[in-house]
Amino acid sequence: MATYPPNVLNPTVFEVPEPPEEFGQDGGKFYRCYDALAEEIDEDMTNGLKEQLDGLLIFAGLFAGVNSAFLALTLPLLSADPADDTNALLQQSNAILLQLASGRNDTLPAARPLPSESFSPPNSVFTVNVLFSLSLTFALISSFLAVLGRQWLVYYRKRSGGGTDRQRWEQLKRFLGAERWRLELILDDVLPFLLQTGLIIFCTSLLLYLYYLNPSLFMVVGVPMYLGLAIFLASAACTDIGGSAGDLVKSARKNPWAR
């Protein structure tokens, strides 16, 4: 395995040796190179995904707690307030007592229907609760998948016995399986996307709830929230454009006809 002296502009470069006609005749040189490269690739992938999933789990837990607090405020708005029925019954009782006290007991006032019988939640309240619940669902799904991802990383790095040849075969089989199922893409891109989608839905439902409470409060909170959302979307678009341009440059460099 040939190496070049490291410097700032040209770090250490490893040249993969050509596979021998029969493995073992090169004194294990090819296997040592393979083990080093496989260990480096697995270490980089698992460490990066662990940090990503740890941060996602922390944020998802905090986000789910905040979302649940708002649901505790908005869910009671979907049902009638028991105090309204109590007040209506007290008013009817007072009317009957006044008639009895004045000596007019010939006709009693007819019982009026309770407010809960004709209660119907406003459409805005129903929409707010649906969006809050949907946002919490996204947070829970992303947390569940992140826990599964952590378990998969532990399984991926776990090696059984049986010698180095069996361990190499296990590592290769798991690596090819991860590539086939695109697990790195799911854990590194799909899970944050789910959580970000839940956050955007939560912000939308929060603005609707504030508008239901007070339109002036909606304007005060809505302006910085819309500004933050615009910055987020712009940064995401710039990241996608930069990644596409980088892929084009790499493909152009690899294309011999572009030279």
Side-chain angles (χ1 to χ4, degrees):
M1 181 172 58
T3 61
Y4 298 94
N7 54 60
V8 178
L9 299 178
N10 184 21
T12 303
V13 179
F14 294 95
E15 290 186 357
V16 180
E18 293 293 335
E21 296 181 359
E22 293 185 7
F23 290 103
Q25 291 182 351
D26 58 348
K29 181 180 178 181
F30 181 82
Y31 279 138
R32 287 194 298 269
C33 180
Y34 174 85
D35 292 339
L37 290 177
E39 181 67 22
E40 181 180 356
I41 293 173
D42 290 347
E43 191 72 18
D44 291 342
M45 181 181 67
T46 54
N47 288 339
L49 290 178
K50 281 180 182 179
E51 294 178 0
Q52 174 87 353
L53 294 178
D54 289 342
L56 189 144
L57 284 171
I58 294 174
F59 181 79
L62 296 175
F63 176 53
V66 173
N67 204 332
S68 300
F70 277 96
L71 272 175
L73 295 175
T74 58
L75 281 178
L77 299 177
L78 293 175
S79 57
D81 190 357
D84 295 338
D85 291 347
T86 303
N87 293 333
L89 291 174
L90 288 176
Q91 290 178 359
Q92 294 179 11
S93 300
N94 291 335
I96 295 174
L97 291 176
L98 287 175
Q99 285 192 355
L100 294 177
S102 60
R104 296 185 307 163
N105 55 359
D106 50 351
T107 58
L108 296 177
R112 298 178 180 178
L114 297 177
S116 60
E117 297 177 0
S118 59
F119 174 80
S120 178
N123 293 330
S124 59
V125 173
F126 180 77
T127 303
V128 166
N129 280 276
V130 169
L131 292 178
F132 273 136
S133 302
L134 186 61
S135 159
L136 180 60
T137 301
F138 273 102
L140 294 178
I141 291 175
S142 60
S143 301
F144 175 72
L145 294 179
V147 172
L148 290 181
R150 288 282 295 168
Q151 294 176 348
W152 175 81
L153 290 177
V154 173
Y155 171 76
Y156 183 84
R157 295 294 291 168
K158 186 178 180 181
R159 296 290 183 264
S160 61
T164 56
D165 291 339
R166 180 180 177 84
Q167 292 179 4
R168 291 190 189 101
W169 172 247
E170 282 187 352
Q171 186 275 337
L172 180 61
K173 184 171 64 174
R174 293 173 183 176
F175 178 79
L176 294 177
E179 290 289 326
R180 182 174 63 253
W181 292 99
R182 299 183 182 274
L183 290 178
E184 189 173 1
L185 175 65
I186 294 174
L187 298 179
D188 200 22
D189 294 333
V190 175
L191 293 189
F193 175 77
L194 289 177
L195 196 57
Q196 292 166 2
T197 303
L199 182 60
I200 294 174
I201 296 175
F202 172 80
C203 293
T204 304
S205 56
L206 177 60
L207 291 177
L208 293 177
Y209 179 59
L210 294 178
Y211 183 80
Y212 170 78
L213 295 178
N214 191 338
S216 300
L217 186 60
F218 162 78
M219 293 298 298
V220 172
V221 180
V223 171
M225 192 169 292
Y226 279 125
L227 181 61
L229 180 61
I231 294 174
F232 167 75
L233 294 177
S235 62
C238 292
T239 302
D240 293 339
I241 294 174
S244 301
D247 294 339
L248 289 176
V249 171
K250 290 180 180 178
S251 61
R253 289 179 178 176
K254 292 180 179 179
N255 187 4
W257 296 101
R259 298 179 181 177

